Amino acid sequence: MSEPVRLIKKYPNRRLYDTKTSAYITLGDVKELVLKYEGFKVLDAKTAEDLTRSILLQIILEEETGGVPLFSCELLSGFIRFYGSASQNMLGRYLENNMRTFIEFQQKLQEQTRNVYGSDASHVQADFWNQFLNFQQPAMQNVMSTYMDQSKKMFQSMQDQLQTQTRSMFTGFPTADKEDK
């Protein structure tokens, strides 16, 4: 039987209270829960509103402002442009699936490296990741470029079909093409 989700309450004074340990915690402590893969939920102590996403975004913001950022301005701008568009849900699922795949691959790599090189193989993993990412980036760009080209062609084809169908529906009416002649 799985352990119930850890409940963290956020009070109006912005403090976070861990109901499991009966103590106040910081965003750093919540980050540690994430790193340890511990399930948790952050609720507003007054309204019981789920604030988990908001807290996770705060942690990401802190990580982005300190040290080397993960997200470029161009990437963040792209994310903002997707909000409210028809592709918003598709992008979310795409990113989630790719992150899951990346994490699974990383875990398998770490396990295999430990089996071959022992428990202290972090230097080997770092070298391998650098080599893998140097190879992977051009390959992924090629895949995405092909995908975008195919999507563009499919969209153009759909537009052409709609125009043809619309013209055939209104064949008896004068159109701009006929009036210009």
Side-chain angles (χ1 to χ4, degrees), residues 3-8 18-21 33 38-42:
E3 192 174 309
V5 174
R6 190 173 194 153
L7 181 63
I8 299 171
D18 185 347
T19 59
K20 182 177 181 180
T21 61
L33 294 176
E38 289 191 39
F40 65 91
K41 185 179 257 190
V42 181

Side-chain angles (χ1 to χ4, degrees), residues 164-176 178-179:
T164 302
Q165 289 173 354
T166 303
R167 284 191 182 115
S168 68
M169 284 175 38
F170 297 106
T171 55
F173 295 103
T175 63
K178 291 180 183 177
E179 291 174 5

Side-chain angles (χ1 to χ4, degrees), residues 20-39:
K20 182 177 181 180
T21 61
S22 299
Y24 286 102
I25 61 173
T26 65
L27 282 179
D29 297 324
V30 176
K31 177 184 170 188
E32 287 300 315
L33 294 176
V34 172
L35 294 174
K36 293 177 182 174
Y37 293 89
E38 289 191 39

Side-chain angles (χ1 to χ4, degrees), residues 75-101:
L75 180 63
L76 291 170
S77 296
F79 284 154
I80 291 167
R81 288 183 195 107
F82 269 97
Y83 283 98
S85 77
S87 302
Q88 180 178 341
N89 287 337
M90 185 177 76
L91 176 66
R93 286 191 304 271
Y94 172 80
L95 292 172
E96 196 170 316
N97 287 335
N98 281 319
M99 181 60 82
R100 188 177 305 113
T101 301

Side-chain angles (χ1 to χ4, degrees), residues 13-14 20 34 45 55 57 64 71 73-75 81 95 97 111 122 129 133 162:
N13 63 2
R14 296 182 174 185
K20 182 177 181 180
V34 172
I55 294 298
L57 286 167
E64 285 289 305
F71 302 111
C73 289
E74 184 178 344
L75 180 63
R81 288 183 195 107
L95 292 172
N97 287 335
E111 183 181 315
S122 57
W129 271 114
L133 292 176
L162 282 173

